[in-house]
Amino acid sequence: MLKATTDILLRSTLPKNVAFRLLTAAADVKHEEKLQTFRTQESDPTKHTTDHLAQFYTLPPEDKKVIFLHGGFPKTFETHIKTFNETCFMVREPSIEVINYLKSIDYNKPAVRFVLYGKVGNGKSLSLAHILHYAYKNNFLIVHVPWASNWMNRPKDVTMSETKGGFVDLNIDAAAWLLHFKTQNAEFLRNPNLKISRTIEWTKRETTPEATSLMELVDHGINRIRFASSCVTILAEEIKLLCSSGVCKALVAIDGFNAMFYSKTRVLTEKKEIVPPSRITLNEGFLNLSKFDWKNGAVVVTVDQMVGAQGEHTSHFPRSLLGKTGFIHMDPFIPIEVKNFSRKEHQSIMEYFKERQWVQDYPGLDDELYFLSGGNPYKLLEYCRSL
């Protein structure tokens, strides 16, 4: 179409400067049409629909600094953010499906729970990130765990709990998470109605009185690391009470949720005994929030084969990854499968790479890479990575 237009303009009797302007305008229109096939200018996830599927949208930098300052993206994606100098998500069916559910569910009923599952590298974490952006834009109190497996496999410290016999605290990890929570909900926590329901006694001389703001409770856990794990557990219970009483609405989002039921942790006591997740204080609060015995909230978790030893999990389905205990804990839930790229999605990401001059175009490139990657997003990134 563009070539035919060019030929007509060049053969016309119009002055050269007029013909050149018309030709430039035609090229700009063609470029804009191509741009619309893999990009959308709509950056508000609330307005995303199935019409935006397979299109990229840009996450505003100011939103990124609030939601993902302390984690939430896979390391590979973080690398691409620096390389391309922008944060772009592809609008995909799993996230749109969950967002549509969040728009329509009755929050006066028990919390609805969603489990995102799929093969390694299919994009579960980024689908969760898209959903988190929606929650942030729609005034949800966000309770987000970027990757639960880090606590089970790489704890920063391990101490015996002072309040619960036989339990261990991961206080440095707990304090880091409280800072993450505070950053994501800084504006929300200024609400004067967010107050705790009871007096909390930390020691005989140190207490937090009833009706203290939720912000002060969070700050106490950050500043007094000794109590950070207990603070997370108390915070979880207070959030449930506040939501159930109609003060606020919360979204609980946990990436790698099956780590909280994986028995072979690397959390060790002083006697080098393995501590199961059920005896880690930090987990208690999130297991409590992932129940359905509260309202004005929703729970979205991912389950991943990367939790545990490589090759240990042969199935990517929730029943296999959660195990019997985890499956019973989450039942009933709505399963959402994150699949491989469709042809349209593959074409969109290839057009994005070409626009960012990350790959050079040549005949048959897209089909070859789709065949080699099998439609798996992570494998495609590996094939396209810098040498």
Side-chain angles (χ1 to χ4, degrees):
M1 181 68 182
L2 182 60
K3 186 178 185 302
T5 305
T6 304
D7 291 340
I8 292 170
L9 289 172
L10 290 175
R11 292 172 186 173
S12 69
T13 57
L14 291 171
K16 287 186 178 180
N17 61 332
V18 176
F20 178 75
R21 289 174 187 171
L22 292 172
L23 183 60
T24 303
D28 288 342
V29 169
K30 183 67 177 178
H31 175 71
E32 185 64 26
E33 288 176 354
K34 187 177 181 181
L35 198 65
Q36 291 303 319
T37 62
F38 73 95
R39 275 191 188 272
T40 174
Q41 300 303 312
E42 184 54 73
S43 61
D44 186 353
T46 309
K47 299 176 182 178
H48 288 161
T49 66
T50 51
D51 293 336
H52 298 99
L53 289 177
Q55 293 183 327
F56 283 90
Y57 85 96
T58 303
L59 178 70
E62 60 273 17
D63 291 353
K64 179 178 179 288
K65 288 180 182 178
V66 175
I67 311 170
F68 303 107
L69 181 64
H70 299 288
F73 296 141
K75 290 183 179 179
T76 307
F77 188 73
E78 287 278 10
T79 302
H80 278 78
I81 291 173
K82 294 177 182 177
T83 302
F84 298 143
N85 199 30
E86 64 175 359
T87 307
C88 277
F89 293 152
M90 182 186 288
V91 180
R92 302 191 66 194
E93 188 174 347
S95 53
I96 290 297
E97 185 176 353
V98 174
I99 287 171
N100 286 338
Y101 278 128
L102 293 177
K103 289 177 181 177
S104 59
I105 61 178
D106 183 356
Y107 287 95
N108 290 316
K109 301 290 177 64
V112 180
R113 298 174 296 175
F114 305 88
V115 176
L116 300 179
Y117 71 97
K119 295 180 180 178
V120 174
N122 274 15
K124 298 180 291 294
S125 296
L126 292 183
S127 293
L128 186 64
H130 189 183
I131 295 164
L132 280 168
H133 190 204
Y134 166 82
Y136 173 73
K137 285 293 189 181
N138 287 271
N139 300 316
F140 282 80
L141 181 70
I142 298 174
V143 183
H144 173 223
V145 178
W147 185 241
S149 184
N150 285 340
W151 297 337
M152 306 303 113
N153 292 315
R154 290 179 288 276
K156 292 182 174 64
D157 77 318
V158 180
T159 57
M160 297 306 297
S161 174
E162 298 179 9
T163 56
K164 300 196 71 173
F167 277 68
V168 299
D169 290 342
L170 310 181
N171 286 325
I172 294 179
D173 289 301
W177 181 84
L178 286 169
L179 180 60
H180 178 55
F181 174 82
K182 180 181 177 180
T183 303
Q184 287 183 320
N185 300 286
E187 290 294 328
F188 207 100
L189 290 173
R190 293 191 178 95
N191 184 344
N193 295 320
L194 295 179
K195 299 177 182 179
I196 62 175
S197 61
R198 60 187 176 90
T199 298
I200 301 164
E201 185 176 316
W202 305 104
T203 64
K204 290 182 178 180
R205 297 182 178 180
E206 192 171 3
T207 61
T208 299
E210 181 184 347
T212 298
S213 70
L214 212 61
M215 176 75 88
E216 289 183 47
L217 175 64
V218 172
D219 284 337
H220 184 81
I222 295 171
N223 298 325
R224 301 279 282 132
I225 292 181
R226 172 186 174 188
F227 304 115
S229 291
S230 297
C231 185
V232 172
T233 304
I234 295 167
L235 176 65
E237 187 60 42
E238 292 298 327
I239 288 172
K240 288 176 69 173
L241 291 173
L242 287 166
C243 289
S244 296
S245 60
V247 176
C248 61
K249 183 169 60 176
L251 178 78
V252 179
I254 304 175
D255 203 359
F257 181 66
N258 51 313
M260 294 188 175
F261 301 96
Y262 183 68
S263 59
K264 301 175 185 177
T265 70
R266 294 182 184 175
V267 181
L268 304 175
T269 64
E270 293 179 353
K271 297 180 180 179
K272 304 302 179 184
E273 297 173 340
I274 295 176
V275 180
S278 58
R279 289 203 291 118
I280 297 174
T281 314
L282 182 57
N283 287 343
E284 280 197 313
F286 301 105
L287 291 176
N288 190 12
L289 278 166
S290 59
K291 295 178 181 178
F292 62 90
D293 58 348
W294 56 295
K295 62 182 182 179
N296 262 330
V299 181
V300 185
V301 304
T302 73
V303 291
D304 202 293
Q305 290 172 280
M306 293 294 288
V307 172
Q310 186 175 6
E312 181 178 1
H313 301 295
T314 56
S315 171
H316 63 275
F317 291 102
R319 177 62 181 86
S320 173
L321 294 175
L322 287 169
K324 183 178 179 181
T325 303
F327 192 83
I328 292 173
H329 176 85
M330 287 300 292
D331 189 44
F333 63 85
I334 299 174
I336 308 288
E337 184 176 9
V338 182
K339 301 178 181 179
N340 285 332
F341 275 156
S342 65
R343 279 282 184 177
K344 184 178 180 182
E345 290 173 328
H346 177 79
Q347 187 63 40
S348 289
I349 195 169
M350 291 308 300
E351 291 296 336
Y352 178 76
F353 285 158
K354 292 169 191 175
E355 186 215 44
R356 309 309 292 179
Q357 298 182 358
W358 187 244
V359 298
Q360 293 184 348
D361 192 14
Y362 67 83
L365 172 67
D366 295 357
D367 289 336
E368 181 180 349
L369 286 174
Y370 189 73
F371 172 77
L372 289 172
S373 66
N376 183 275
Y378 178 75
K379 289 182 180 178
L380 177 64
L381 294 178
E382 287 291 292
Y383 282 118
C384 295
R385 70 179 179 178
S386 171
L387 298 176

